[in-house]
Amino acid sequence: MQATADMTKKECSWSSWKGQAIDLLYWRNVKQSGAVFSSVLLLLFSLTQFSVVSVGAYLALAALSATISFRIYKSVLQAVQKTDEGHPFKGYLEMEIALSQDQISKYADKILLYSNTCMKELRRLFLVQDLVDSLKFAVLMWLLTYVGALFNGLTLLILAVVSMFTLPVVYEKHQAQIDQYVGLIRTQVNSVVVKIQAKIPGAKRKEE
């Protein structure tokens, strides 16, 4: 009974987190999405100019400057007004932030699952279990060599963040047209794959 309740609680928590992420990427709350988008972009652009250590140190100094200034301001204000409101960050200091054993186990299980799935898929591709899939992977790696020559990792990460916050909105507004073009492209790709499978010996997939 307790296990069922815990499972339901976890599912509700995951659904809530997923809903918040979707709302963020689809700009349901413009101020919140704009704040997150601009903050992440500012951080990434900072990393293009400074080292990770420097950016981390500057962020820590900025946060400390804000909290120390606020602490001093509240202390002076309490002294002038002769009040005893206590520590201004008391609520945050008493907040529980430690991960529980169940949360650690849940995240560890997910990481283990993704890692095993990834290793199995890479083994399948590199050992050519399916010739067509391995050829697709080879083409993808070949294209990535050109991408790597044009962009570094941070630039790709910036483009990924911009895409995450723009493409969902564009797709939502023009879903019918995009689905139509994607369907046409998928049909052409499948047609080419079928032709390749027909010409290469052993390339046909085994019937399930």
Side-chain angles (χ1 to χ4, degrees):
M1 197 71 180
Q2 181 65 31
T4 304
D6 292 340
M7 184 65 68
T8 304
K9 186 177 180 181
K10 290 179 180 179
E11 290 176 355
C12 292
S13 177
W14 168 251
S15 299
S16 176
W17 182 88
K18 186 178 179 181
Q20 291 176 358
I22 291 174
D23 291 342
L24 196 67
L25 296 178
Y26 280 88
W27 295 76
R28 308 297 189 210
N29 186 326
V30 177
K31 291 183 179 179
Q32 186 178 18
S33 297
V36 173
F37 182 49
S38 58
S39 299
V40 174
L41 276 186
L42 180 61
L43 175 62
L44 293 177
F45 278 122
S46 299
L47 289 174
T48 62
Q49 303 297 323
F50 306 99
S51 67
V52 176
V53 175
S54 296
V55 173
Y58 282 128
L59 289 174
L61 284 173
L64 280 171
S65 299
T67 54
I68 291 172
S69 300
F70 185 72
R71 172 70 191 278
I72 294 173
Y73 166 74
K74 293 294 290 186
S75 298
V76 172
L77 190 64
Q78 290 178 27
V80 171
Q81 295 179 349
K82 296 181 179 180
T83 59
D84 187 16
E85 298 178 1
H87 198 289
F89 300 116
K90 182 180 180 180
Y92 295 102
L93 289 171
E94 295 176 349
M95 185 182 298
E96 181 64 37
I97 60 173
L99 289 174
S100 66
Q101 187 65 37
D102 291 339
Q103 289 175 317
I104 294 174
S105 299
K106 180 182 69 173
Y107 294 133
D109 290 342
K110 286 186 177 180
I111 292 173
L112 183 62
L113 176 62
Y114 293 146
S115 299
N116 290 336
T117 302
C118 183
M119 287 190 295
K120 289 179 181 178
E121 185 65 17
L122 289 174
R123 181 184 64 181
R124 189 181 72 84
L125 292 170
F126 279 105
L127 298 182
V128 199
Q129 182 177 347
D130 185 283
L131 181 58
V132 174
D133 286 345
S134 295
L135 288 173
K136 290 180 183 178
F137 185 65
V139 171
L140 176 62
M141 294 298 103
W142 177 68
L143 292 175
L144 285 179
T145 61
Y146 287 94
V147 173
L150 295 173
F151 308 103
N152 59 29
L154 271 176
T155 305
L156 291 175
L157 191 56
I158 291 172
L159 291 175
V161 171
V162 173
S163 299
M164 285 172 58
F165 279 88
T166 54
L167 294 182
V169 178
V170 173
Y171 178 74
E172 188 178 40
K173 292 182 178 179
H174 307 283
Q175 183 175 355
Q177 297 93 320
I178 294 174
D179 287 344
Q180 181 181 359
Y181 288 119
V182 170
L184 291 173
I185 294 172
R186 186 176 297 171
T187 301
Q188 293 296 325
V189 170
N190 290 337
S191 177
V192 172
V193 170
V194 170
K195 290 179 181 178
I196 293 175
Q197 288 177 330
K199 292 182 178 180
I200 300 178
K204 291 185 178 181
R205 297 178 184 272
K206 295 180 179 180
E207 295 183 358
E208 296 181 357

